[in-house]
């Protein structure tokens, strides 16, 4: 895992952020992100949940278990990618993040993308997909999941792959059909990262 000094500065800057009054009350800490700060793949979820808020690590609860399984299915560990959220702090009772909260956290998200300069961005669920893709996400996550979008960020083409949020799989009693779709979408992620990966051997797996 490599540290990225600019990202570390950003983490420091946001560690005491008070832009969202409600979130300041519901959080115990700001959950900035975890993993390889100079990874080729950046994963963006919705917002910290209760376990994430307690531990200070994104996706370390039930949804995180699923994310980890899916990463493993394409030969990745979570330490080989960077994981963050659209909104860093935990909303009360796991409510959806509000439009203002997403807006307040968007400069931080854009800077994270700029400083990491990843080759692939995986947006997890509707909120992250809308935050990154804007109007292109209008059709909704179930329609555009697994598709590859391209955006030029800092003169570099970045591939953006929206996926279904693991919480959705949990709400649906781990429906095998949804899980298979998610695995397929992770194959798309594997393909995108393999073509671009610094060390392609590391993620080769047999089918
Ligand atoms: N769900 C998210 O979107 N992010 C987390 O960090 C945990 C659960």
């Amino acid at each position: 895992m490599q540290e990225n000094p600019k990202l570390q500065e950003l983490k420091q800057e946001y560690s005491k952020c008070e832009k969202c009054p409600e979130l300041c009350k519901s959080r115990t800490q700001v959950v900035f992100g975890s993993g390889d700060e100079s990874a080729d793949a950046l994963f963006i979820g919705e917002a910290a949940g209760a376990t994430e808020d307690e531990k200070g690590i994104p996706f370390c609860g039930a949804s995180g278990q699923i994310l980890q399984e899916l990463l493993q299915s394409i030969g990745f560990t979570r330490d080989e990618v960077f994981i963050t959220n659209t909104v860093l702090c935990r909303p009360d009772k796991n409510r959806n993040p509000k439009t203002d909260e997403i807006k307040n956290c968007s400069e931080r998200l854009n800077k994270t993308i700029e400083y990491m300069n990843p080759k692939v961005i995986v947006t997890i669920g509707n909120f992250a997909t809308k935050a990154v893709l804007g109007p292109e996400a209008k059709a909704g996550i179930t329609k555009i999941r697994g598709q590859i979008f391209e955006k030029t960020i800092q003169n570099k083409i970045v591939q953006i792959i929206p996926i279904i949020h693991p919480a959705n799989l949990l709400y649906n009693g781990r429906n095998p059909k949804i899980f298979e779709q998610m695995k397929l979408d992770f194959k798309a992620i594997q393909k995108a990262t393999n073509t671009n990966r610094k060390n392609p051997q590391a993620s080769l797996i047999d089918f």
Side-chain angles (χ1 to χ4, degrees):
M1 284 208 287
Q2 284 182 44
E3 279 199 358
N4 175 329
K6 283 181 120 181
L7 214 63
Q8 286 291 317
E9 260 178 48
L10 191 67
K11 181 177 178 176
Q12 189 59 32
E13 186 186 328
Y14 277 83
S15 65
K16 304 235 161 25
C17 177
E18 292 186 338
K19 286 185 189 168
C20 306
E22 279 186 47
L23 295 182
C24 284
K25 282 190 203 140
S26 55
R27 76 171 188 222
T28 54
Q29 58 182 317
V30 176
V31 183
F32 185 78
S34 79
D36 182 350
E37 294 175 358
S38 52
D40 284 342
L42 169 63
F43 283 67
I44 306 169
E46 184 177 309
T51 320
E52 288 76 21
D53 178 69
E54 189 194 320
K55 303 219 165 105
I57 301 166
F59 282 97
C60 63
S63 287
Q65 282 282 338
I66 292 168
L67 181 61
Q68 207 152 305
E69 272 177 52
L70 289 162
L71 281 168
Q72 267 167 15
S73 77
I74 58 164
F76 277 88
T77 67
R78 58 176 290 151
D79 289 344
E80 290 178 291
V81 302
F82 192 75
I83 307 173
T84 188
N85 279 306
T86 308
V87 168
L88 294 182
C89 302
R90 181 202 177 194
D92 192 32
K93 300 190 182 86
N94 294 335
R95 66 161 170 78
N96 287 339
K98 295 182 177 173
T99 309
D100 274 4
E101 294 165 348
I102 293 170
K103 217 165 141 205
N104 288 343
C105 223
S106 66
E107 191 183 271
R108 182 274 321 165
L109 183 61
N110 291 336
K111 281 188 178 167
T112 302
I113 294 170
E114 184 190 325
Y115 296 161
M116 279 194 65
N117 205 8
K119 290 179 175 145
V120 178
I121 297 176
V122 179
T123 55
I124 309 172
N126 263 321
F127 287 96
T129 305
K130 276 193 199 140
V132 175
L133 282 181
E136 280 183 278
K138 213 171 142 209
I141 193 70
T142 48
K143 294 252 163 53
I144 62 171
R145 51 149 273 268
Q147 291 180 28
I148 298 179
F149 295 80
E150 289 191 339
K151 250 190 169 185
T152 305
I153 301 172
Q154 293 194 92
N155 298 322
K156 197 180 109 184
I157 293 173
V158 182
Q159 295 194 314
I160 297 155
I161 308 179
I163 62 165
I164 299 213
H165 198 292
N168 199 304
L169 183 70
L170 292 170
Y171 295 141
N172 287 288
R174 269 190 168 257
N175 181 326
K177 201 174 144 212
I178 300 177
F179 197 47
E180 284 315 305
Q181 283 180 340
M182 292 176 89
K183 281 204 203 146
L184 265 181
D185 297 345
F186 269 71
K187 294 251 164 77
I189 298 167
Q190 181 186 37
K191 211 166 158 204
T193 44
N194 260 343
T195 32
N196 296 314
R197 222 166 165 217
K198 285 173 207 145
N199 175 16
Q201 293 304 324
S203 72
L204 286 182
I205 54 167
D206 293 320
F207 297 116

